[in-house]
Amino acid sequence: MPEAQSGSAALPREALKIASGYAFTGPALDLGALLWDGVCLPDAQVRIPLPMLNRHGLVAGATGTGKTKTLQLIAEQLSAQGVPVFLADIKGDVSGISAPGVRNEKVQARAAELHQTWAATGCPAEFYALGGIGHGIPVRATVTSFGPVLLSKVLQLNQTQEQSLGLIFHYADQKGLELVDLKDLRAVVAFLTSDEGKGELRNIGGLSTATAGVILRSLTAFEAQGMADFFGEPEFDTGELLRTQDDGRGLVSVLELAAVQDRPQLFSTFLMWLLADLFHDLPEVGDADKPKLVFFFDEAHLLFNGASKAFLDSLTQTVRLIRSKGVGVFFVTQTTKDVPADVLAQLGNRVQHALRAFTPDDQKALKATVRTFPDSAYDLEELLTGLGTGEAVVTVLSEKGAPTPVAATRLRAPESLMGPVDAGALDSAVKASPLYGRYAQAVDRESAYEKLSSRGAKGPDEMKAPPTSRRKDPSVVEQVVDSGMFKSLARSLGTQIGREITRSLFGTARRRR
C-alpha cells in the first residue's frame, strides 16, 4: 500500500472503497486527493498508472475550470519519468512549463492541503510554430506528405471534391510530380484541365472542369489568408517529438498556436498530420512499461467539426491502433459530446472538470456526460456543476486495465510556471536549439511547378529520365546526383523516385527516414 494510503483506515467507508481503487503498486502519476462530502482527504491520493497512459484519455470541462493546468500537471510528471510529451499551446500560456514555478500563498496552501511536496521545477522543452508564424522552430509539411484527406478538410471540400483531389494526388504520385508546396498542387490541377493534360485521368474517372475550378479557388483563398507558409520544406520530422534528455527526462514539445488560433481548420488538421505521421513510422511495441510519447490534442472539437466520413474513419482507426505503438493520445475539449462515440470508446482515462448548466443545451450536455461515466457513489449531475477551479471528476484504468471508481479530486499544483515565459527568453531558447538551423530556412527546390513550367512540348512522362529497364528504377543516390538537388531534403527525395507513393491512413505518404 502506497504511503499516501497510510491513514486510510480513518476514511469514511465509501471514500475508503474509492481510495482502494487507486492504491497502485507500480509507477504512477499523482493527480490529487479525493473529495468526499466537500472535504479534501489527503490520505486518499488519486493517481494514474504510468503504463496506462498509452490507453488514451479525455480532459474536459468548461472554459476557466483548469484544463490547461491539468495538462501541465500531467506533462511535467511524464517528463520526470522519462516520457516525451507533445502539447498544443492555443492561448500562448503553456510555455511556462519550461521554467520553475513561483511559490506563493495560493500554491503553498494547495500543496499543504494535499500533502504535496512542492518544489519549483521546469521541464526540458522545445518550442515550435506552424510555418514559423509565432515564437518557435518552423513546422512545415509537404503537400505530398499531408495527403488528400487532410488537405480536403483544410480546404473544406465536399466528398466529391475530396475524391477528385485524391485522383490528382494519385496522378502526381505516379508521374513523379512532387507536391512540395501549394503552387505545385495548383500547377498539377491546371495541367490536368488543360488541352494537353485533360485526357490523363480519363481512364480512372476524370477531373471535371467545375470540380477543378472549386479546388483552384479554394487553394487561392487559402493562400490569400497567408497559409502557404505551412506547406513546404524542410519538412518536420515527427521523430523529433520522441526525444529524451541526457538526464533521462522526457522532452516537452510545445507547438505555439496563438498566432494562428483564428485558423482552427488549419491547426487542428496539422495536429492530426503529426499524429498520423508518427503512426506510420513507429514500430509495434505492445504493452510497454511506459509510453513512448503522450500527445495532448487541445481544442479537439475543432478536429471533428465538418469532418468527412473518410476523415472520421481514419481518425478512429489511428486512435485505436497507435496505442500498440506506445503513443497515448489525450483529447482536450469542453464536453464529451464534442468527441464522436467511436473515438470516445477508445479513451480509458478521464479527467472531467466542471460543466455549466445555464441553458437547455448545457443541461443536455451535462446529462450526456453523466451517462458516459461508470456507476458512481456521487450524484454526478450535482457534483459536475459544483466543482471549483482545479477540481475534477476522475476515472482511469487500473494496472489490470479495469476502470477505477469515479473519484472527485482536488488536483495538485503544477511545479512549473503557471503562465507564459518572457517572449525574449522564448526567442533565445528557440534560436539556441540545435533544431533551429535544420528547420528555420525554407527551401524551394525543383518540384511539380518547376517541372510543368519548363516542360515545353513535353508531357509528364517525358520529363522523367527514361529508365534503362522497366524492372530497375534508378536509385535515390543516382537521382539526387543527376538532378543536382543534393542539398534538398534527402528524406523527402527518398520517397519520390518516379513511381507511385505508398499512402496509408488519411492518404498521408509513408516516408523512409
Side-chain angles (χ1 to χ4, degrees), residues 265-346:
Q265 288 280 353
L266 175 73
F267 74 68
S268 63
T269 310
F270 247 91
L271 293 180
M272 196 64 239
W273 172 75
L274 291 172
L275 195 59
D277 196 68
L278 282 166
F279 174 80
H280 292 167
D281 289 350
L282 290 175
E284 296 281 335
V285 296
D287 291 324
D289 292 337
K290 61 184 180 182
K292 285 186 175 181
L293 174 74
V294 175
F295 192 105
F296 288 95
F297 215 125
D298 208 353
E299 300 291 345
H301 65 282
L302 298 172
L303 185 67
F304 306 114
N305 287 348
S308 68
K309 185 179 185 300
F311 183 94
L312 291 176
D313 288 346
S314 296
L315 191 156
T316 303
Q317 190 174 0
T318 300
V319 172
R320 180 181 295 120
L321 299 177
I322 203 170
R323 178 193 67 78
S324 63
K325 298 191 173 191
V327 177
V329 183
F330 274 69
F331 293 98
V332 185
T333 189
Q334 294 200 5
T335 71
T336 54
K337 72 174 185 177
D338 295 333
V339 181
D342 287 345
V343 176
L344 199 62
Q346 309 300 319

Side-chain angles (χ1 to χ4, degrees), residues 412-425:
R412 291 183 166 220
E415 297 182 341
S416 54
L417 182 65
M418 290 187 278
V421 298
D422 177 75

Side-chain angles (χ1 to χ4, degrees), residues 318-483:
T318 300
V319 172
R320 180 181 295 120
L321 299 177
I322 203 170
R323 178 193 67 78
S324 63
K325 298 191 173 191
V327 177
V329 183
F330 274 69
F331 293 98
V332 185
T333 189
Q334 294 200 5
T335 71
T336 54
K337 72 174 185 177
D338 295 333
V339 181
D342 287 345
V343 176
L344 199 62
Q346 309 300 319
L347 312 182
N349 305 296
R350 292 185 57 183
V351 181
Q352 176 69 60
H353 288 266
L355 292 173
R356 312 300 182 211
F358 298 142
T359 69
D361 284 345
D362 290 342
Q363 292 168 357
K364 185 177 179 181
L366 173 62
K367 291 181 182 297
T369 298
V370 169
R371 287 197 297 270
T372 61
F373 277 96
D375 290 339
S376 166
Y378 298 96
D379 181 341
L380 286 179
E381 278 196 45
E382 181 179 347
L383 178 62
L384 286 173
T385 55
L387 290 171
T389 302
E391 297 176 348
V393 173
V394 174
T395 180
V396 303
L397 292 181
S398 71
E399 292 167 311
K400 296 181 179 179
T404 59
V406 175
T409 307
R410 183 157 294 159
L411 299 169
R412 291 183 166 220
E415 297 182 341
S416 54
L417 182 65
M418 290 187 278
V421 298
D422 177 75
L426 184 56
D427 284 335
S428 297
V430 169
K431 291 178 181 177
S433 168
L435 300 185
Y436 185 75
R438 190 180 307 170
Y439 294 108
Q441 186 62 47
V443 176
D444 187 11
R445 63 181 174 87
E446 184 185 41
S447 48
Y449 174 80
E450 288 78 14
K451 291 178 181 179
L452 290 170
S453 297
S454 63
R455 72 185 186 276
K458 298 178 181 179
D461 285 326
E462 297 174 275
M463 287 185 286
K464 297 181 293 180
T468 56
S469 169
R470 293 296 293 174
R471 294 184 180 182
K472 184 179 180 181
D473 290 327
S475 70
V476 174
V477 174
E478 288 170 339
Q479 288 190 50
V480 172
V481 173
D482 292 342
S483 65

Side-chain angles (χ1 to χ4, degrees), residues 34-245:
L34 184 68
L35 287 171
W36 184 258
D37 268 348
V39 177
C40 181
L41 305 174
D43 289 325
Q45 291 290 309
V46 177
R47 313 163 78 217
I48 304 179
L50 185 62
M52 293 295 112
L53 266 295
N54 72 332
R55 301 299 179 94
H56 310 319
L58 177 74
V59 178
T63 301
T65 55
K67 296 192 298 295
T68 300
K69 299 302 177 285
T70 297
L71 305 189
Q72 195 168 339
L73 174 67
I74 296 174
E76 62 189 25
Q77 292 187 65
L78 285 168
S79 174
Q81 300 212 41
V83 179
V85 177
F86 173 87
L87 293 172
D89 187 4
I90 306 290
K91 300 188 288 287
D93 58 356
V94 178
S95 59
I97 197 168
S98 64
V102 176
R103 184 184 296 273
N104 54 37
E105 290 184 6
K106 188 174 181 180
V107 167
Q108 285 183 300
R110 176 65 65 107
E113 181 184 30
L114 301 180
H115 292 183
Q116 174 186 1
T117 303
W118 190 92
T121 309
C123 299
E126 200 82 80
F127 300 97
Y128 300 98
L130 282 186
I133 297 179
H135 302 279
I137 297 162
V139 173
R140 305 180 188 89
T142 63
V143 173
T144 283
S145 172
F146 207 69
V149 176
L150 292 177
L151 190 59
S152 294
K153 188 173 190 303
V154 169
L155 298 177
Q156 300 182 52
L157 302 181
N158 64 28
Q159 183 177 355
T160 299
Q161 294 154 1
E162 179 181 325
Q163 291 169 348
S164 295
L165 187 62
L167 286 179
I168 294 166
F169 271 75
H170 173 74
Y171 174 79
D173 291 349
Q174 283 190 318
K175 300 300 182 181
L177 294 171
E178 298 174 71
L179 306 177
V180 173
D181 51 28
L182 294 179
K183 73 177 184 298
D184 291 321
L185 179 58
R186 194 168 55 244
V188 172
V189 176
F191 172 76
L192 290 173
T193 54
S194 68
D195 291 340
E196 184 181 355
K198 62 185 179 183
E200 292 285 332
L201 298 181
R202 188 170 295 151
N203 293 334
I204 54 173
L207 176 65
S208 73
T209 302
T211 299
V214 171
I215 294 172
L216 287 172
R217 286 193 297 273
S218 297
L219 285 170
T220 301
F222 190 68
E223 289 180 284
Q225 296 172 39
M227 298 191 185
D229 291 340
F230 305 124
F231 293 95
E233 291 180 324
E235 183 174 79
F236 182 68
D237 182 350
T238 52
E240 311 284 11
L241 305 179
L242 303 174
R243 293 179 293 148
T244 57
Q245 296 294 95

